[in-house]
Amino acid sequence: MNRPAAFLLIIALSAGSASQAIAQSLVADMSESSISITSNFTGKDILLFGAVDVPSDIVVIVQGPREKMVVRRKGRVSGIWMNRQSVTFPGVPAYYAVASNRPLDEIASQTVREQYRMGSTFLDFAVDASTPHLAGEELFEFREAIFRNKRRDKLYFETDNSVQFRERLFRTSIVFPTRAPEGDYTVTTYLLRDGMVIAEQLNPLQIRKAGFERKVFDLANQRPALYGIIAVLIALASGWLAAVAFRRS
Amino acid sequence: MQIYFPIAEISLNIFLVLGMGGGVGFLSGLFGVGGGFLMTPLLIFIGVPPAVAVATEANQIVAASVSGVIAHWRRSNVDLKMGLVLVVGGVFGSTVGSFLFKFLREMGQIDLVISLSFVLFLGVVGSLMLVESVRLILRSRKGGYRKKAHQHYWAHGLPFKMRFHKSKLYISVIPPILVGFFVGLLAAIMGVGGGFIMIPAMIYLLGMPTSVVVGTSLFQIIFVTANVTFLHSINTQTVDVVLAVLLLAGAVIGAQFGARVSGMLRGEQLRALLGIIVLAVCAKLIFDLVFEPSDLFSIGRAITK
């Protein structure tokens, strides 16, 4: 969707909700509410745009589906680096992005940021019960490893100047890399004034494998025996075909 | 041109995948090995999850071996009876291996076991091949080399003897079944056909004539890797059919060229060359195991089952 059209849509949305004008000091929408992973998928940028009644601060938080993650630490065993300890965190967001119009610590106090989990510092992961007892400091290292690895994969990021205002209209783009897993995402837009959240809006977003990729994935997971047989048959046929083709030539 | 692989869940350049298939396929046709010993590490190096690399490569080797075995069949270089005995052991071995693979994956040690297995087997086999073939090359240059018509191995004393006409052997079925079993185990855990182990074992352990070992090993590899593909699909859902098809498209073509070129080179030179390649892959893997990783921590989705 191009920019003028996006702005027209905002106006339409604002007009539609005129009756709720007092409560509705924030309107936000996205260029797309679902992403399809097809064979040419190399990640996706989604435009989030909206309008506010008075220029103020905007913080957008995008969270992916929660996954059970294992963090492993390598140690040296007779000269070889191998996984030694592991800690399981049952509810780690697969994706976590924060976009704002200026640095978060300028927008709101630590208390407010903590309350709304604005910034990965405030993300809290519970530890799986099966985890061996570790000292707080050690556990912290495992927790930090999640952030470091997720940031490296561009699945966690915070950009404090990516929300742009044009008077009462704002826009930002959210980047989903190839590794963004499928699932239900939430995009929450917070409107803050004088450091307080005065309005928020939640927009759901779906990432799904689609088309051929979907069919392959579903077959592999739902009918694994059939999938295995098909995989073998394809290989047998291709090998035979190649041998025949090359004999003729 | 990038393409997304639905099981590996990554996006790779299609020409890179085709090129890797073609290059490794050429070598597999040349040496009569599945090519997995090169392809599995290469796939891991370009970012394919190791478990997916192993299972997908097993699937691809099925195709490479079929076209390879047809080429050898035409030249009557397959000992069918010996092949079937090896298959019996191989199917058992790969089934055990597949469950071991699943267990190690849940333990978080599958990557290490894959790497260590490669280092161990490639190191030993590569060195043996190199030393042996260099010795042969040097001796044949002197001209005083004569091969014994029939050698006696310890294997000849075991019961359940069977006659293998093609290989001109009358030996117990126990050693070939054990060789097949062991190779099947490796196929499941390493995503290799196991030719690099089976061929030396056939020559030095079973005493088979060199002319039939390549064709016969390829014959066994078809059944074993088909079993691995099937079991990994069921146990771990790690076979990426899209990746396998692209790899095999490159590989079946490469293998045909390789099989033709192999006729032009001498056996010992071929084995020396393979020994060098095997040792190079081994060295790279040792390097990765011994040097401190840039991040000691790694994260992964927990496997729930």
Side-chain angles (χ1 to χ4, degrees):
Chain A
M1 187 181 294
N2 59 26
R3 213 191 301 185
F7 287 140
L8 277 177
L9 185 65
I10 294 162
I11 293 161
L13 284 169
S14 316
S17 50
S19 56
Q20 305 167 311
I22 298 159
Q24 198 87 348
S25 46
L26 166 73
V27 205
D29 200 6
M30 295 181 296
S31 57
E32 273 152 283
S33 61
S34 69
I35 297 175
S36 297
I37 301 181
T38 52
S39 59
N40 57 5
F41 181 71
T42 52
K44 182 104 184 160
D45 287 9
I46 285 210
L47 175 71
L48 180 128
F49 51 86
V52 291
D53 56 357
V54 179
S56 24
D57 289 311
I58 289 284
V59 177
V60 180
I61 297 177
V62 187
Q63 285 209 53
R66 297 213 166 223
E67 292 179 327
K68 190 173 182 178
M69 298 299 284
V70 187
V71 184
R72 296 196 167 89
R73 179 165 64 191
K74 283 195 170 70
R76 199 168 212 163
V77 182
S78 49
I80 286 165
W81 292 94
M82 65 178 286
N83 291 331
R84 297 294 302 276
Q85 291 146 301
S86 71
V87 176
T88 306
F89 297 91
V92 178
Y95 178 96
Y96 177 83
V98 182
S100 54
N101 56 311
R102 58 188 175 118
L104 291 172
D105 53 359
E106 290 174 19
I107 294 178
S109 67
Q110 183 163 342
T111 326
V112 171
R113 279 182 283 141
E114 194 169 349
Q115 188 189 342
Y116 292 93
R117 304 237 188 281
M118 291 174 184
S120 56
T121 344
F122 306 112
L123 273 182
D124 196 23
F125 310 133
V127 176
D128 196 73
S130 67
T131 301
H133 183 76
L134 287 173
E137 211 171 287
E138 236 179 329
L139 203 56
F140 177 77
E141 276 191 75
F142 280 88
R143 218 180 284 264
E144 280 301 293
I146 295 183
F147 295 117
R148 196 167 56 242
N149 278 277
K150 286 280 191 185
R151 284 199 192 108
R152 200 180 298 142
D153 290 344
K154 310 241 183 322
L155 289 168
Y156 278 23
F157 56 89
E158 288 157 51
T159 43
D160 56 19
N161 55 358
S162 59
V163 175
Q164 283 136 29
F165 269 100
R166 192 202 274 174
E167 294 175 18
R168 292 173 49 222
L169 305 176
F170 69 87
R171 66 196 302 269
T172 187
S173 85
I174 310 158
V175 183
F176 295 90
T178 318
R179 280 167 172 268
E182 59 173 357
D184 295 319
Y185 289 62
T186 54
V187 182
T188 317
T189 310
Y190 294 99
L191 171 67
L192 294 99
R193 201 165 296 152
D194 304 324
M196 300 304 287
V197 172
I198 55 163
E200 61 179 86
Q201 188 181 334
L202 191 140
N203 295 70
L205 175 79
Q206 267 199 345
I207 299 190
R208 290 279 182 268
K209 286 178 178 142
F212 179 67
E213 318 296 301
R214 167 95 262 154
K215 288 199 177 79
V216 172
F217 185 79
D218 283 349
L219 191 65
N221 286 282
Q222 289 159 15
R223 312 279 307 273
L226 180 64
Y227 180 89
I229 290 167
I230 291 174
V232 170
L233 289 179
I234 290 174
L236 290 175
S238 325
W240 175 77
L241 215 73
V244 171
F246 274 83
R247 190 181 206 184
R248 297 259 161 84
S249 68
Chain B
M1 199 177 103
Q2 299 287 117
I3 180 159
Y4 183 84
F5 294 97
I7 306 295
E9 299 190 309
I10 53 162
S11 169
L12 294 170
N13 188 301
I14 190 168
F15 299 109
L16 175 71
V17 175
L18 284 173
M20 271 171 50
V24 174
F26 178 79
L27 295 174
S28 92
L30 189 60
F31 299 122
V33 290
F37 70 95
L38 281 177
M39 190 62 97
T40 306
L42 279 179
L43 287 174
I44 296 169
F45 297 156
I46 63 167
V48 176
V52 176
V54 166
T56 303
E57 181 50 18
N59 188 18
Q60 189 250 295
I61 294 172
V62 176
S65 307
V66 167
S67 62
V69 100
I70 291 171
H72 284 278
W73 186 267
R74 285 178 194 142
R75 280 180 264 135
S76 193
N77 284 345
V78 180
D79 183 339
L80 195 61
K81 199 170 172 187
M82 178 61 88
L84 288 172
V85 172
L86 289 164
V87 165
V88 171
V91 168
F92 276 112
S94 53
T95 305
V96 171
S98 173
F99 285 94
L100 194 60
F101 182 89
K102 188 183 177 207
F103 172 72
L104 287 169
R105 189 163 174 248
E106 282 159 14
M107 294 275 294
Q109 299 297 354
I110 190 66
D111 299 5
L112 177 75
V113 171
I114 292 171
S115 292
L116 281 178
S117 310
F118 271 107
V119 166
L120 182 66
F121 293 111
L122 297 184
V124 170
V125 173
S127 314
L128 284 176
M129 274 179 178
L130 197 59
V131 169
E132 176 72 8
S133 48
V134 167
R135 209 160 58 86
L136 282 179
I137 289 167
L138 292 178
R139 219 192 289 179
S140 65
R141 283 203 181 137
K142 284 182 198 153
Y145 171 67
R146 187 182 71 89
K147 200 190 176 206
K148 275 189 225 166
H150 186 75
Q151 273 178 298
H152 267 276
Y153 299 91
W154 61 271
H156 292 146
L158 293 166
F160 308 113
K161 287 199 173 188
M162 202 181 249
R163 197 167 293 285
F164 299 96
H165 291 285
K166 196 112 202 175
S167 302
K168 300 185 186 72
L169 284 175
Y170 179 61
I171 57 164
S172 162
V173 294
I174 294 171
I177 284 183
L178 287 179
V179 167
F181 181 90
F182 189 61
V183 165
L185 203 65
L186 298 188
I189 291 172
M190 300 162 72
V192 295
F196 66 89
I197 279 280
M198 194 158 31
I199 290 172
M202 285 163 134
I203 297 171
Y204 304 117
L205 201 70
L206 307 180
M208 286 171 69
T210 324
S211 58
V212 298
V213 293
V214 173
T216 309
S217 74
L218 284 173
F219 177 82
Q220 191 255 14
I221 288 167
I222 296 173
F223 293 90
V224 171
T225 49
N227 189 42
V228 171
T229 305
F230 182 68
L231 291 177
H232 280 339
S233 297
I234 290 179
N235 286 340
T236 51
Q237 289 88 48
T238 43
V239 176
D240 195 315
V241 128
V242 181
L243 181 57
V245 164
L246 281 179
L247 287 175
L248 70 84
V252 285
I253 295 167
Q256 294 293 326
F257 286 108
R260 278 160 205 217
V261 175
S262 79
M264 303 172 201
L265 290 169
R266 292 168 53 147
E268 51 266 40
Q269 290 171 335
L270 216 57
R271 244 176 291 150
L273 190 55
L274 181 57
I276 290 166
I277 295 173
V278 162
L279 287 178
V281 176
C282 179
K284 162 73 180 151
L285 286 165
I286 290 176
F287 184 87
D288 289 346
L289 281 171
V290 170
F291 279 76
E292 185 168 346
S294 57
D295 191 343
L296 289 181
F297 291 86
S298 62
I299 63 170
R301 244 174 272 175
I303 298 151
T304 47
K305 241 171 212 179

